[in-house]
């Protein structure tokens, strides 16, 4: 006996997969941006302003 297709379930599964893919892609972009920011900070960190050091 063939089962009647459950279109709502199939649609929900497709939507879940699509959202998971979008989340993974967004997470990768966030990680890349964080690495870029960290690299920029590391490059700028050794050159401290003398005014900021004197005010502490």
């Amino acid at each position: 006996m063939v089962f009647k297709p459950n279109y709502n379930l199939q649609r929900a599964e497709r939507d879940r997969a699509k959202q998971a893919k979008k989340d993974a892609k967004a997470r990768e972009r966030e990680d890349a941006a964080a690495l870029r920011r960290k690299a920029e900070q590391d490059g700028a960190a050794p050159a401290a302003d003398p005014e900021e050091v004197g005010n502490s």
Side-chain angles (χ1 to χ4, degrees), residues 13-50:
E13 287 176 359
R14 284 194 310 269
D15 289 344
R16 266 193 296 274
K18 187 176 182 180
Q19 188 63 38
K21 187 176 180 180
K22 285 171 73 175
D23 290 344
K25 194 170 187 179
R27 197 173 316 112
E28 286 178 18
R29 270 187 259 128
E30 260 181 41
D31 292 344
L35 287 174
R36 221 174 315 131
R37 280 193 303 270
K38 185 173 184 201
E40 288 174 1
Q41 286 177 355
D42 289 345
D49 280 338

Side-chain angles (χ1 to χ4, degrees), residues 2-6:
V2 177
F3 290 102
K4 185 173 156 185
N6 187 345

Side-chain angles (χ1 to χ4, degrees), residues 6 8-9 11-12 24 26 29 32 38 42 45 47-48 50 52 54-56:
N6 187 345
N8 289 330
L9 177 65
R11 169 106 189 195
R29 270 187 259 128
K38 185 173 184 201
D42 289 345
E52 291 180 11
N55 292 336
S56 318

